[in-house]
Every structure is written in structure tokens, then in C-alpha cells.
Amino acid sequence: MKKLAVFVLALATASFAFAGGGQQGGGSSGGVTKGMDRKIVMGYSQIGAESEWRTACTNSVKAAAAEWNIDLRFSDAQQQQQNQLQAIRTFIQQKVDIIAFTPVVETGWEAILKECLDAGIPTICVDRSIEGSDRVAANPNDKNDPDNWFTAFIGSDMEQEGNRAAAWLIANAAKIKPGKSVYNIVELQGTVGSSAMTGRFKGFRDTFGIPAASALGTSADGKFKIILSQTGDFTRAQGKQVMEAFMKSNGNDIDILFAHNDDMAIGAIQAIQEAGKVPGKDIIIVGIDAVKGAFEAMVAGTMNASIECNPLLGPQVMETAVNILNKKPVEKWVVSKESDYDQSNAAAAYPSRQY
Ligand code: GYE
């Protein structure tokens, strides 16, 4: 009995390691999947748990899979692309019906996605996209178009989120810090090479009229100047750490912090306070995601605005999967609906926030 238990445990550990960490089976209590005549199996490769946003996304996917009665094989890659590639390869070997994945970075997906195509397994790209994709397949037969390497994309327009952050600053900076001829901006970038980072980086600069190829630069009208820009990898801890360094080198010159996500902004708020400045007043803070932590900070006055990025993608993923497997036509890009929040509407919206 004991031997058997050890053997089972060893097997479980082996399959855990093979799947690249954290693979779990979903609820397989029989029955059929909603909208199907059988129960389907979905392999899901998630990036990790770097932020409040990611946790909300994972919870949404798991809850929706249970609701649709889909057998979800969920794998947490712990931020490593290598683990994602391994997990997807395992899903192919297991002959799952469909694979959904969130690419941690934009590059390095061609080979594995072509393996999925060869195996006849459709794929759904969730939240972040891959290099060269505009999520419109101009010619469905062109094998070199990355948009033909996956079946559908479900997620936000990251570039537009960068645009929205800049537009909010153009409309509001002078109300919070009046009488300045130039506003100095520091930027905390997300995970380098992720579509969430490259899109927000470019969109932010485009709206200001700063060349998208340069990390630092001044807006076309001369009023906004990016003076420092570094990655905080989308985490609170690194957001704080990098902001500490920014405060040491340029603490008295910083007017604005633009963080590619709220977690980094929240980490940075601590660093600003520890450096003896008042977040939300001395330094205007704009984040992206609109997670609960940002609402708390906006209500407390320490953060100024957050551009919403919707993580509740589970239902759309399951619905799209069922449509694909039923051979119904699906949108190539299902764009998420989003809003902007700041201190003027945060308190009213807070009670109904789901993440
Ligand atoms: O903004 C950030 C997360 O890819 C949209 O990843 C996502 C981003 C999100 O870690 O908080």
C-alpha cells in the first residue's frame, strides 16, 4: 500500500515536472461541455502569477471552465517561456481538443504553433500576442503570416492602453501640478519583450509625439519629457526597487510616474513615500489594469489614474473554444471592452469591481 502510494506520488511529480510546473487537471465529473455533444479537454498555458491582474485572469479561466464543464489542464509556467513550450508539447502528446496560451514574450512561438497545426489542434492566444501578428489573417493560406499560426486572439489593445494613459496625462497633469512648463516623466516598463510592454511603450510615445524607437524623449509640444525608463517586470517588488533608484538619482525632478501595470505603481508608491515625497501630489501616478489595489490607492489619494485592462477573459475563451470545435466562424480578434478610472470616479466604481 505504502509502496503504491510512493509510486503514485512519483508519477504525479514526474508529470508535474514534465508539464513545466504546476499542471493541474480540471473538474472531470463527467457529462458534456456546454454547447457540445461531448466533454472537451483544454490545455491552458498560463504565464505565472506576477500580478493581481494575472491572478484575476487565472481565476476567471478556471471558473469559466467549470461553468462550461470543460476538462481544463492548467499549467503555470512561472514566468518561463521554456515551461510554456514544454507544457504545450505535453498537451499535443495528450491529444487535447484545444490549446489556449498566453505568450510571456512575443518571440519564439513559430515552431510550437506549427506543431499544433500539424497535430490538428486549434489554439487560442489569450491576452498577449506574438510578434508579427496584427490579429487579422489577410490571407488564410499564407503560412508565413503569424496570424495563421493560431485560430483566435482574445485580449486587449495594448497600444491603445498606452495612448489612453498619455491622453489622460495631457488632459489632467496641469490640474494636479499647475504652472509647470515641462513635466518630467519616469516610466516603469512591463516584462521586456511582452506584447503588453511593447504595445504600452509605443502607444504612450505615439500620443505624445515621441519617436517610438527611443526610450527617452520630449513630446512634440515640448511639455512632457520622459527622463527615465526601466523595466520592473510587472511585479510590485521590482516596481518598488526601480522607483527607489529613480528617487535616489532624480527624486526632486520627477513630476509623473507612468507604470505599465498597477502592481508596479503600488510598489513605487511605497518607494516615493520612503523618499519623503507625496504620491498623487508631488508625483502624479498613472497605472494600467484597474485592479482593486489601484482603486484603494486612488480612493486614498496616492494614485491618480488607472487605465482598465480587462482580465476576466475566461467566459470568452470557453465560448470561443466551443465555437471553434463546432466549426462555427469566430472573430480573429475578440477585443476586450474597457474604461478609464481616476480619483473622480474611483470611489463610485469600487464596490462593483470584480478584481
Ligand atoms: O497588465 C499585467 C500582467 O498581459 C495584460 O500582464 C497583461 C499584463 C497586465 O502581469 O499586470
Side-chain angles (χ1 to χ4, degrees):
M1 191 60 203
K2 206 172 170 193
K3 257 190 196 158
L4 181 72
V6 170
F7 177 68
V8 171
L9 189 73
L11 255 185
T13 320
S15 66
F16 177 90
F18 188 50
Q23 194 182 95
Q24 300 162 9
S28 27
S29 48
V32 298
T33 296
K34 198 162 91 181
M36 306 274 323
D37 56 4
R38 64 193 168 97
K39 182 157 185 160
I40 62 166
V41 179
M42 173 185 283
Y44 198 102
S45 170
Q46 177 62 290
I47 294 175
E50 74 282 1
S51 63
E52 273 190 54
W53 192 100
R54 187 68 49 208
T55 305
C57 180
T58 292
N59 291 341
S60 167
V61 165
K62 287 184 177 172
E67 194 190 326
W68 261 258
N69 198 22
I70 288 173
D71 183 356
L72 182 74
R73 312 246 167 108
F74 185 87
S75 174
D76 175 337
Q78 292 161 7
Q79 257 60 45
Q80 302 300 316
Q81 183 176 35
Q82 208 45 44
N83 290 340
Q84 292 202 280
L85 298 176
Q86 222 168 55
I88 295 174
R89 211 151 269 142
T90 304
F91 296 146
I92 297 173
Q93 280 155 2
Q94 293 174 342
K95 298 190 168 42
V96 301
D97 295 297
I98 193 156
I99 293 172
F101 73 112
T102 295
V104 58
V105 290
E106 289 179 293
T107 53
W109 299 98
E110 180 171 357
I112 192 78
L113 292 180
K114 286 187 170 167
E115 281 175 46
C116 294
L117 284 175
D118 289 344
I121 302 175
T123 53
I124 304 177
C125 190
V126 184
D127 156 32
R128 295 186 188 172
S129 60
I130 60 172
E131 190 180 47
S133 158
D134 55 7
R135 304 130 193 166
V136 181
N139 169 6
N141 298 318
D142 178 4
K143 287 212 168 99
N144 292 321
D145 179 354
D147 288 306
N148 289 322
W149 303 344
F150 56 85
T151 312
F153 173 81
I154 297 172
S156 304
D157 187 327
M158 308 289 181
E159 220 174 289
Q160 209 183 75
E161 289 169 354
N163 295 149
R164 284 155 60 198
W168 188 90
L169 284 166
I170 292 167
N172 293 286
K175 293 184 204 158
I176 301 158
K177 290 190 89 175
K180 297 217 62 150
S181 53
V182 182
Y183 290 87
N184 287 329
I185 303 175
V186 298
E187 176 181 42
L188 289 170
Q189 303 169 15
T191 300
V192 173
S194 68
S195 67
M197 175 261 155
T198 56
R200 291 166 185 177
F201 182 98
K202 180 176 184 298
F204 190 69
R205 283 162 180 73
D206 278 356
T207 297
F208 281 123
I210 298 171
S214 55
L216 310 181
T218 305
S219 62
D221 64 3
K223 288 190 186 146
F224 293 88
K225 187 174 176 190
I226 305 176
I227 59 165
L228 293 165
S229 179
Q230 217 175 292
T231 184
D233 210 15
F234 280 133
T235 68
R236 233 169 247 221
Q238 288 191 60
K240 177 165 191 265
Q241 220 175 58
V242 177
M243 194 68 197
E244 275 166 5
F246 286 174
M247 293 308 289
K248 272 203 190 109
S249 63
N250 294 68
N252 290 327
D253 311 326
I254 303 171
D255 301 303
I256 291 167
L257 162 65
F258 168 48
H260 285 196
N261 80 345
D262 290 335
D263 281 71
M264 293 189 294
I266 292 163
I269 287 172
Q270 268 187 43
I272 293 168
Q273 285 167 333
E274 284 168 18
K277 297 278 180 196
V278 183
K281 295 207 167 62
D282 294 333
I283 299 180
I284 303 167
I285 303 176
V286 180
I288 295 185
D289 281 353
V291 293
K292 274 208 171 119
F295 275 84
E296 280 154 13
M298 286 190 282
V299 171
T302 53
M303 189 163 162
N304 301 86
S306 184
I307 305 303
E308 187 179 35
C309 177
N310 188 3
L312 307 178
L313 304 174
Q316 281 172 303
V317 173
M318 303 311 149
E319 201 185 314
T320 304
V322 165
N323 284 337
I324 291 172
L325 293 171
N326 279 328
K327 308 243 178 300
K328 287 198 187 141
V330 295
E331 297 282 345
K332 192 76 197 181
W333 182 5
V334 182
V335 189
S336 321
K337 290 197 184 82
E338 292 152 351
S339 314
D340 297 344
Y341 294 96
D342 59 22
Q343 292 180 6
S344 70
N345 59 359
Y350 183 62
S352 60
R353 298 296 295 167
Q354 288 179 62
Y355 59 91

